[in-house]
Amino acid sequence: MGNENRLVSVGGKWYYLNSDGSMATGWKNVSGVWYYLDASGAMKTGWFKQGNTTYYLLPSGAMAKGWQTIGGKQYYFTSSGAMAVNTIVDGKKLGSDGAVVPNTPATPVEQAINDAAAFGATVKAQSDGTYNIYKNDVYIGDFDPIEGYIEGSNQFTTLLETLALDLGFHANAQELKSLVDQVQSKHVYNDGVIDDGKTLSIYWAPKVPAPNAAVSKALQDIASSGAIAKPGDEGSYNIFKNNEYIGYFNQSSDTHAVEGNGQYANLLETIAVDLGYNSTPAELSSTVQQVMNGTLENEDIAYDGYSLSIYW
């Protein structure tokens, strides 16, 4: 009789009979499948621990191998049936209990540390809550996730941009690159991005206050023009169109300003009026055109051939 015919069911339990008719105990291979039979000879199912090794026996009694979902959790069993623990299999981390550890999103600082490593840099926490950045053991910059800034050698501009985005700068990668490029080329001024020729500093608002009615109106008009505005530093908003930086506005308690690419003069004028510039749209438009044409000087409006600035 074949091995498979030596499995018998008695009283709802399965047993394996040896060739002499006695009941087998312990591990038994039946047609290439391993089973475990306890001291009474009954086939075990479910979890089974032998020494320091944990096994799982399927409802059929067969020893589990490979990936198994048990009780809503995933486990991995080696070819010997041993449950894998404290390791990574197929990109999945297994904990001390053998179950897959759910992926938890990295915190902003953790993501920044990971991205810095991808650039070959290291990040070290400081006692004051800031973090220093090193490349080949040489200090190249630092950031503060609470205050909302990063600064460092502009030789590492791409790294600084990447970390700023990780930590909360309100823009996508292409938008921030456009803004930094224009600041570094001296085309625009922006109070959230500063480059003095050696050091690049990027600031953002960790907590964005709710916009007041005037700012809300400006945001609506910006959106109607096909552009978008994203919070910057200290109450400012950066304006982007097709992922390109085109300007910003600031309405803090002591500063009111709109500045940007002169090609978007009409939009900048609209924003200024929304925010409280003391003029009608037609009057402001006329004044701006005269300033841009070089036929009028105005202490509130400046144009350098590229950037239009309106202050009040």
Side-chain angles (χ1 to χ4, degrees), residues 133 142-144 148-152 160 163-164 167 200-202 204:
I133 311 166
D142 65 88
F143 64 82
D144 187 330
Y149 79 82
I150 185 168
E151 63 181 11
L160 298 175
L163 302 193
L167 296 167
L200 171 64
S201 303
I202 303 174
W204 60 92

Side-chain angles (χ1 to χ4, degrees), residues 30-212:
V30 181
S31 299
V33 179
W34 284 97
Y35 299 85
Y36 188 84
L37 304 118
D38 65 19
S40 72
M43 180 187 296
K44 288 189 68 68
T45 60
W47 291 105
F48 171 58
K49 188 168 185 178
Q50 189 174 52
N52 293 323
T53 305
T54 300
Y55 302 87
Y56 186 78
L57 302 167
L58 301 172
S60 67
M63 182 185 72
K65 297 180 183 179
W67 287 107
Q68 302 289 335
T69 299
I70 305 168
K73 297 181 179 180
Q74 280 191 301
Y75 300 83
Y76 183 82
F77 299 88
T78 66
S79 59
S80 70
M83 181 182 73
V85 298
N86 296 324
T87 188
I88 296 175
V89 179
D90 296 337
K92 298 179 180 180
K93 183 179 180 181
L94 301 170
S96 59
D97 63 352
V100 170
V101 178
N103 289 328
T104 55
T107 66
V109 170
E110 289 172 341
Q111 188 61 52
I113 292 172
N114 292 339
D115 282 340
F119 280 87
T122 57
V123 175
K124 296 182 180 180
Q126 305 301 299
S127 60
D128 61 357
T130 63
Y131 293 79
N132 288 347
I133 311 166
Y134 299 87
K135 179 100 172 179
N136 299 324
D137 294 325
V138 176
Y139 170 84
I140 62 171
D142 65 88
F143 64 82
D144 187 330
I146 304 301
E147 294 297 325
Y149 79 82
I150 185 168
E151 63 181 11
S153 169
N154 60 14
Q155 296 180 41
F156 302 97
T157 290
T158 303
L159 169 60
L160 298 175
E161 292 172 353
T162 300
L163 302 193
L165 293 170
D166 289 338
L167 296 167
F169 189 87
H170 298 276
N172 63 37
Q174 188 173 340
E175 291 168 345
L176 178 55
K177 182 180 186 304
S178 172
L179 171 53
V180 171
D181 285 349
Q182 293 192 55
V183 168
Q184 290 182 330
S185 64
K186 310 302 181 183
H187 279 160
V188 301
Y189 166 81
N190 185 280
D191 60 5
V193 176
I194 300 171
D195 191 307
D196 63 7
K198 292 184 178 180
T199 300
L200 171 64
S201 303
I202 303 174
Y203 304 89
W204 60 92
K207 295 182 179 180
V208 181
N212 59 30

Side-chain angles (χ1 to χ4, degrees), residues 20 51 54 66 110 216 220 224 246 264 279 282 302:
D20 63 358
T54 300
E110 289 172 341
S216 295
Q220 290 173 5
S224 296
I246 64 171
Y264 299 94
S279 174

